[in-house]
Amino acid sequence: MTAKALIKDFEAIVGKDNVLTSEADLASYSYDAAVLPNAMPGLVVRPTTSEQLGKTVKLCNDNAIPMTVRGSGTNLSGGTIPSKGGIVVLTTALNRILEINEEDLYAVVEPGVITSKFAGEVTKRGLFYPPDPGSQTVSTLGGNVAENAGGLRGLKYGVTKDYVMGMTFYDVNGELVKTGGKTVKCVTGYNLTGLMVGAEGTLGVYDTITLKLVPPPAAAKAMMAVFDTVMDACRAVAAIIAAKIVPATLELMDNFTIRTVENFRNAGLPTEAGALLLIEVDGHPAMVEEDAIKVEDICKKNKASTVRVAKDAAERNAVWQARRDALPALAKVKPTTVLEDATVPRSKIPAMMSALEDIAKKYSLTIGTFGHAGDGNLHPTILTDKRNTEEWHRVEAAIDEIFDHALALGGTLSGEHGIGMAKAKYMKQECGIAAIEYSKRMKSVLDPKGILNPGKLIVG
Amino acid sequence: MADPKKLVEMLKSLEDQLVTCMRCGMCQAQCPVFAQSGREGDVTRGKIALLAGLAEEMIKDPEGVNNKLNRCLLCGTCEANCPSGVKVTDIFLRARAIMAAYNGMSPTQKLIFQQLLTHPGLFNTILDLGAKFQGIFTKPVNDMLGTSCARFNAPIIGDRHFKTLAAKPLHSDVPSLDTPAGASNLRVAFYPGCVVDKIYPSVGHAVLKVLKHHGVGVFMPKGQACCGIPAISNGDVASFQKMVKANIELFRKGDFDYLITPCATCTSTIKKIWPAYYEDKSDQITLAKIVDKVKDVSAFLVDVLKVSPMDTEGTKTVTYHDPCHLRNSLGVTAQPRTLLKATPGVKFVEMTDAASCCGSGGSFNLKFYELSQEIGRKKAQHIIDSQAETVATGCPACMMQMTDMLSKAGASRKVRHVVELYADTL
Ligand SMILES: Cc1cc2nc3c(=O)[nH]c(=O)nc-3n(C[C@H](O)[C@H](O)[C@H](O)COP(=O)(O)OP(=O)(O)OC[C@H]3O[C@@H](n4cnc5c(N)ncnc54)[C@H](O)[C@@H]3O)c2cc1C
Ligand code: SF4
Ligand code: SF4
Ligand code: SF4
C-alpha cells in the first residue's frame, strides 16, 4: 500500500486531526528522555477511544508496519524512540479514569492517565496509590506499567507491578485480551498480567488497566541522618533492615550530590558529610513514634554525626526537598546528564558505591550518586557533555563497567528504568542465552511480523 | 535572507543553550499550550529538539519549526520549573529573531514595528483617531491595529468580547508629570505601558492617585515608547532597539528612586529583556540604573511604602490571578495579595490554580485565538468557581483576556487591577 493510502486509512480510524505528518511533528517524536540518537517515525497517530486504538494496531499489523506506543516519552531507556521507523501511537488522548472503587479498593484507568493526577484523585477519596516515580507529574500509567516503574516508596510499598491487578490489552490482530480482574485473588489461567507488566510495548498494547489501591498510612515521620562516610551510612541501612523495620523510604545521597544540592538551594545541608540518609517511617501513629526512635538510635550507633527528626510538615518537606533537588541540581552542572539505574542486593551497596568511586576516578568522570538505598537501587548520575567525543567514549566505557560490577555483585541492569534500546545489549550477560531464546520464541508467536516496538528489550 | 546555510550558522549560536535541555520532559506538566493540545511539538522539550534538529540539519523545514516556535505564550512557567535550568525564554526570543531574519517580516509587521511602534507620536495619533472612529473601523485600519502591539489587538478582532480603546487615553489626560517628593521622600518615574495608556487609563489614574496619597513625587515624561516586547517576540530586534533607546532617552533626564509600572509584562521586559538584548554600549550605565529601579506597582507599595494588611476583613470578595510575568519572571506573588488584604472592604479568596496562565500571551492570542481561548476558558472557570465578585490582577493584558473569557462564559464578574481596588478606597 502506498504511504498516501495508509495515511487515509489511519485518518479514517482516528480522524484527520489525529494523524500527524509534518516533518516538525514527526521530528518531535524522534526521541525520549534517554541519551540516545534520534530516529524519525513515518507517521504519528493519536487514538481517542479504545476502539480506535484496537483498529490502529490491526492496521499496522495488516501492513507489517512497526509501531511504538508512546505515553509521555519520559522513559530513560529509549523505549519510545522509533528506531525502526513506522508509526508512533500516542496514548495522551486515552486519559480517562474509568472507575475508582472505594468498596473493593481498585481503580480502572486508560493508559494515558497522568500518574500524579491519578494519585491525586485517589487521595481525594481517602485512599492511596503508592508508586511514585520521580517523573509522576508527567509520566502516564501505561508507561509506568510498561516500564514497571518504581519510586521512593518502593522499599515498603513495592513497585508498579505490585499494584496491577489486571488489564485489557490489544494483541497484534487488534483482538482485545482480558487478563486478571478486580478480585484480590485471581489465579485463572496463565498470569498474562504479569507477562505484560514491564514488557515495554513489545507484546501488546494496554487498553485499560486495573490498579490496586490501599488505605493510606495514618502517620509518618521523616528524618535526615548525617554520616562521615558512605560505608557508615550503608551499615546503618543494613542495621535498620536487620532490626525488622521497613521504612517507607530510605534514600542515600553521596558527598558530591550533597554539595551540588547545597550549592543549588542553600538549605543548610552538611557539605562535609560523606553521605546523607533520608528516612521516612509511616503507619500507625504509635508504631511510627517507636520506629522513629529506633531508627534514630540505629543511625547513631552506626556513627551518624547527627540525626534531625522533622518536627512538623515544614521540616518534613525540607527533608524531601533535598532529595527532590538531587537530579535538578546535578543536571545543572553539565549539559548532558546520564541517569543510570544499577541495582544490587542491599548488602552490596557499600561494594557498589566504592566501585562507582573507582570508576569515576579511572575514567576521570564526574559521577554523583543518589538513590533508593533501601532497595539497593542506585542512580549514579554521570555529568558530561555529549559533544566532547573523547569524553563520551569514556562515559560509554564507564557505563559498561558499572553494569559489569552490578551484575558481578548479584545485581541487575535495571531497577526501574527498563531495558529499551539502551541496555538491550547487556541482556545476555544478566539473563543468559536461554532466557533470551525463550523470550524470542514467545515474541515470534505473539507478534509474528515483529511490529510491536521492534529493537527494544530483546534483540540479537 | 532565506539562505539555509546562513540559518544553520545562526542557529549554531544557540547550541550551547540548546544542549542544556536533558529532554526529561518535565515541562509537560507546566506548559499551558501542551495541556490543551497534548502535542510534543507544543511543549518546550519539543521546540528545543526542533531547533536543535534544524541546527544539525536533520530537519529541513524552517517554516514548520517556526510555526511550532510561535505556539508559545512566553509565559516562562516551564523555565521557572525546569530541573536543568534551561533558559527557555532567551532561547525562544533569539530563535524568533533568527527566524525573522531568515524569513523576512511581512509588510504589515514591518509597518507596525518599524513605522508605528518606533514612533510613539504617530502611534498615539493613529490610535487616538482609532478610538474616535472605532465604531466604523475599515478593513485596513483593522488589520493594522490587529497586528500592531499584539497585546492589545483584542479589541478589534473577530468575535472577542472586548474592552474597546479608551475614549480618552491616559496620555491625553495627563501628557506628562514632574512633581516633587512629598511625605514619603520618594520620587518615582511612571511608565504606564501601552495597554494601560490606551485601553485601561483608569489603571494609570489609579496609580497616580495612590502615589499622590502616599506623598510620592512622579516623573512621567511625554512621548513614552512601547517597551519593545511585541517587536522582539516577533523577532524584530532592530525595532526593539529603537523603542528601548527612545525610552532610555526620556528617562535619562529624570531623577527618581524607582521606576514603576502597573503592567507585569512591561516590568518583566524592562527588568529581564532590556539588559539582555539592548545593544547600544553608550547607554549601558543609564540602562543599568533603570533596570535596577524598575518595580511592579504592588511590589513598590508593599515592599517600599510598607502598605500592610488590615486587621478587619471586608465583605467584597476578590480573588487574584497571578500574571505569568510577575510570578515566573519576577517572583512577585505575595505583594499583590498583601495589597488586596490591605484594601478596606475586600475579602480575599484564593482561586484554584491562581498561577496558571490566562492564555493571552501577546501575539499568541492573535495567531492562535482558538488555543488561547481554550486556555482562557479554564481560567474563567476557576474564577467563577471561586465565587468572588471581582478578579484582580497585575497585568492589563491578563485583564483583557479575562474580560473576554468571562464575558463569553456569561459570568458577571468584575475584572480590576489590584491598584485600582486599592485606589478606590483612598
Ligand atoms: C526526571 C525523571 C525521573 C524519573 N524517575 C523515575 C523513577 O523514580 N522511577 C522510575 O521507575 N522511572 C523514573 N523515570 C523514568 C520514566 O519516567 C518511567 O519509565 C515512566 O514510567 C515512563 O512513563 P511514560 O508515560 O513517559 O512512558 P513512555 O516513556 O512514553 O513509554 C515507556 C514505555 O512504555 C510503553 N508504553 C506506553 N504506553 C503503553 C501502552 N498503552 N501499551 C503498551 N506499551 C506502552 C512504551 O512503548 C515504552 O516502551 C524518570 C524519568 C525522568 C525523566
Ligand atoms: S524540563 Fe527543561 S530539561 Fe526537561 S525537557 Fe523541559 S526544557 Fe528540557
Ligand atoms: S513559555 Fe509557557 S507556553 Fe511557552 S513553552 Fe514554556 S510553558 Fe509553554
Ligand atoms: S497576559 Fe496572561 S498570558 Fe500574558 S503573561 Fe499575563 S498571564 Fe501570561
Side-chain angles (χ1 to χ4, degrees), chain A residues 361-373:
Chain A
K361 269 201 205 101
K362 177 170 167 192
Y363 293 100
S364 51
L365 292 171
T366 311
I367 306 185
T369 301
F370 60 94
H372 321 302

Side-chain angles (χ1 to χ4, degrees), chain B residues 53-290:
Chain B
L54 213 49
E56 288 154 21
E57 296 177 77
M58 286 181 350
I59 304 173
K60 306 271 183 291
D61 176 19
E63 204 32 56
V65 175
N66 198 25
N67 282 340
K68 298 284 180 198
L69 197 59
N70 283 329
R71 286 167 68 89
C72 167
L73 295 148
L74 294 176
C75 69
T77 319
C78 54
E79 178 165 344
N81 292 285
C82 168
S84 205
V86 178
K87 301 267 175 289
V88 183
T89 324
D90 193 46
I91 294 176
F92 289 175
L93 285 177
R94 287 182 198 279
R96 286 181 182 191
I98 292 171
M99 291 297 185
Y102 175 74
N103 289 322
M105 269 182 290
S106 72
T108 335
Q109 273 178 322
K110 271 193 196 147
L111 173 72
I112 300 310
F113 299 132
Q114 293 167 11
Q115 302 302 323
L116 213 52
L117 289 186
T118 44
H119 299 101
L122 175 65
F123 182 37
N124 283 343
T125 314
I126 291 189
L127 278 188
D128 292 351
L129 283 174
K132 292 206 182 78
F133 297 114
Q134 56 188 340
I136 46 163
F137 265 153
T138 51
K139 186 81 174 48
V141 181
N142 233 338
D143 250 351
M144 188 161 66
L145 296 175
T147 22
S148 63
C149 174
R151 291 177 299 150
F152 50 89
N153 57 65
I156 33 185
I157 296 278
D159 64 339
R160 290 171 171 83
H161 292 204
F162 49 78
K163 179 96 171 68
T164 48
L165 285 170
K168 250 186 144 202
L170 185 68
H171 71 257
S172 73
D173 266 342
V174 191
S176 68
L177 272 179
D178 200 349
T179 60
S184 70
N185 242 340
L186 292 169
R187 235 168 83 87
V188 301
F190 180 41
Y191 182 83
C194 335
V195 192
V196 162
D197 182 51
K198 290 159 183 74
I199 293 181
Y200 289 110
S202 58
V203 173
H205 289 296
V207 174
L208 293 174
K209 182 176 176 191
V210 168
L211 293 174
K212 192 166 179 195
H213 172 82
H214 286 280
V216 180
V218 180
F219 171 64
M220 184 182 153
K222 195 176 165 174
Q224 300 184 15
C226 166
C227 70
I229 190 75
I232 198 150
S233 59
N234 282 284
D236 186 352
V237 188
S239 295
F240 169 84
Q241 304 295 339
K242 286 192 192 137
M243 296 173 201
V244 181
K245 176 115 197 147
N247 285 317
I248 288 180
E249 288 312 322
L250 287 181
F251 287 103
R252 189 200 300 282
K253 296 175 199 141
D255 166 28
F256 49 88
D257 303 294
Y258 295 93
L259 186 140
I260 303 301
T261 96
C263 170
T265 310
C266 298
T267 315
S268 131
T269 303
I270 297 173
K271 188 109 206 152
K272 299 281 174 73
I273 310 283
W274 283 15
Y277 299 91
Y278 183 66
E279 285 160 0
D280 193 336
K281 290 271 176 303
S282 64
D283 288 334
Q284 292 302 321
I285 295 174
T286 321
L287 176 73
K289 199 176 95 183
I290 292 174

Side-chain angles (χ1 to χ4, degrees), chain A residues 326-338:
Chain A
L327 182 60
L330 290 171
K332 287 192 172 86
V333 178
K334 289 266 189 92
T336 314
T337 309
V338 184

